[in-house]
Amino acid sequence: MSDISAFQKNISLKDHNTYRIGGSADLFFEAHDRVSLIAAIREMRMQNTPYYLLGGGTNVLVADEGFRGAIVKVKHQTNDVRDDVIVADAGMPMGALIIKAQSLGLSGLEWAAGLPGTVGGAIFGNAGSHGGEMKDMVIAVETYDPKTDTVKECGSSACGFGYRHSAFQENGMIIVRATLQLHHDDPAHIATRMKDIVAKRIAHQPLAQRSEGCVFKNIELAYSEEGREAITQNEEFSVFRGARFLPAGAVIDTAGLKGTRIGGACVSEHHGNFIVNEHNASARDIIALIETIRARVKEKYGIILAEEIKIVRNT
Ligand SMILES: Cc1cc2nc3c(=O)[nH]c(=O)nc-3n(C[C@H](O)[C@H](O)[C@H](O)COP(=O)(O)OP(=O)(O)OC[C@H]3O[C@@H](n4cnc5c(N)ncnc54)[C@H](O)[C@@H]3O)c2cc1C
């Protein structure tokens, strides 16, 4: 595959993100194997065409104007298990990976039960929940570097993992597949832990509504003087004293923003850090609500919230 005719033209991106928001892409390509993924990116570079990678589209906001260039959707999803190590393609849905691990009696991914999206997206954002993070099990990531047209294996320390961060957010490398270290455990015990995590998600997240998960990153207290100050000054945050994070959802909630609406977008009543697409929201509605939240939280607590979701648009 190195022929531009293999790309579909003028494809609506609404069907490719969980918000169901956004305009069309000029070009659209689904990569069902690693060779076509790399060939597609190489082709776009050679033609000087902007491109953007999508996994499951569960952590992105697609601009109403769409994308002038190519969206390359990562869909390859083979996997290989050697003892307690799984090598999984970037396009493998996390849900499928977790079920596979559980059925083989491989533990370590229970925290991610119910996490939508792909392996590649989870590594890119170092996804995490309920005390686990992707980085905890990554041994190595196979990457394609479009700038040098080379494939190489990065050890975990070269992935630059931090809270909801990886080096791939800056270096433009494509995540092709990942090697994950798990450990043997009783499948029944793994299943019980997964059920417990899914129950917590159902209780705390607005899963029946269209969302892209948490909009903002939590406030990492070691790096936020304003966050530490807010905890000292406000009794409602006292429960977070000594914690690693002041949750953005708690800050948004105590700022009185739950239920705030702009157009079809609404701050979830269920979880303050989720903005849901209630009534055919546009990307503009979501962005206006993001700015409203940010301004109110800054005014009330001096905290500047950073976005966790990525915006798909031409820069
Ligand atoms: C209901 C709901 C609950 C959620 N709960 C959580 C949670 O508990 N914890 C959490 O961390 N997140 C959560 N999320 C957010 C989201 O599911 C995760 O961030 C997920 O890991 C994103 O994966 P994705 O494949 O959908 O990535 P996408 O949304 O498709 O892409 C996200 C970013 O990753 C980049 N990317 C994707 N694949 C590759 C690749 N192969 N190489 C290079 N870059 C790539 C994209 O370019 C984009 O910038 C939730 C989302 C929803 C809708």
Side-chain angles (χ1 to χ4, degrees):
M1 206 302 309
S2 58
D3 177 6
I4 197 155
S5 66
F7 284 72
Q8 294 172 268
K9 294 198 174 74
N10 293 324
I11 295 296
S12 168
L13 295 175
K14 279 196 175 141
D15 298 335
H16 299 284
N17 67 86
T18 43
Y19 258 151
R20 298 201 156 250
I21 283 178
S24 300
D26 290 344
L27 299 168
F28 184 85
F29 178 75
E30 285 192 350
H32 289 274
D33 57 70
R34 61 193 289 285
V35 173
S36 63
L37 170 66
I38 292 169
I41 303 290
R42 184 183 291 131
E43 178 75 26
M44 291 304 97
R45 279 222 22 123
M46 272 163 45
Q47 306 215 9
N48 238 347
T49 301
Y51 59 85
Y52 194 94
L53 252 74
L54 267 191
T58 67
N59 206 209
V60 289
L61 173 63
V62 180
D64 297 319
E65 296 74 24
F67 191 70
R68 304 288 68 78
I71 294 290
V72 176
K73 192 159 173 174
V74 182
K75 295 273 281 186
H76 65 305
Q77 44 187 283
T78 61
N79 62 86
D80 185 22
V81 183
R82 294 167 216 153
D83 192 23
D84 54 0
V85 170
I86 299 188
V87 182
D89 281 346
M92 186 169 186
M94 283 297 290
L97 176 68
I98 293 158
I99 286 168
K100 170 132 202 172
Q102 183 274 331
S103 68
L104 295 170
L106 293 175
S107 170
L109 281 165
E110 292 90 319
W111 61 269
L115 179 82
T118 60
V119 168
I123 289 177
F124 183 89
N126 185 24
S129 67
H130 303 96
E133 282 175 289
M134 211 52 200
K135 74 171 178 55
D136 299 340
M137 55 251 8
V138 171
I139 306 176
V141 176
E142 185 184 293
T143 59
Y144 171 66
D145 185 351
K147 291 177 211 127
T148 55
D149 193 23
T150 50
V151 173
K152 75 169 183 196
E153 184 108 321
C154 297
S156 177
S157 59
C159 295
F161 287 124
Y163 167 61
R164 296 295 177 276
H165 182 265
S166 72
F168 310 116
Q169 295 179 12
E170 280 104 37
N171 64 21
M173 287 200 200
I174 313 295
I175 298 156
V176 178
R177 64 182 164 202
T179 306
L180 308 175
Q181 176 71 65
L182 302 175
H183 58 271
H184 295 288
D185 198 356
D186 182 339
H189 292 163
I190 298 171
T192 303
R193 289 193 289 271
M194 285 166 57
K195 255 194 202 153
D196 184 43
I197 297 289
V198 170
K200 285 185 177 142
R201 280 185 184 276
I202 292 168
H204 298 294
Q205 296 185 344
L207 299 181
Q209 288 175 294
R210 290 174 181 172
S211 83
E212 292 283 331
C214 287
V215 171
F216 298 103
K217 293 184 183 180
N218 292 324
I219 298 111
E220 227 176 341
L221 291 167
Y223 306 108
S224 171
E225 209 180 309
E226 294 79 8
R228 292 194 296 273
E229 181 76 11
I231 287 185
T232 315
Q233 301 293 324
N234 298 279
E235 199 42 43
E236 60 265 54
F237 297 143
S238 58
V239 57
F240 302 112
R241 280 179 198 147
R244 182 178 168 201
F245 295 108
L246 172 59
V251 174
I252 293 166
D253 187 4
T254 49
L257 288 158
K258 270 185 174 175
T260 308
R261 286 184 169 75
I262 293 184
C266 180
V267 180
S268 168
E269 295 278 5
H270 212 77
H271 189 313
N273 202 5
F274 277 57
I275 294 179
V276 294
N277 174 7
E278 225 176 27
H279 300 295
N280 293 320
S282 61
R284 248 180 291 276
D285 294 341
I286 306 268
I287 289 168
L289 202 43
I290 287 174
E291 292 312 330
T292 301
I293 293 169
R294 219 201 303 269
R296 176 82 183 117
V297 166
K298 175 154 190 298
E299 179 193 42
K300 190 143 193 243
Y301 301 115
I303 293 169
I304 298 175
L305 291 174
E307 282 153 44
E308 181 175 318
I309 58 168
K310 309 284 176 243
I311 301 191
V312 182
R313 64 179 161 207
N314 294 89
T315 48

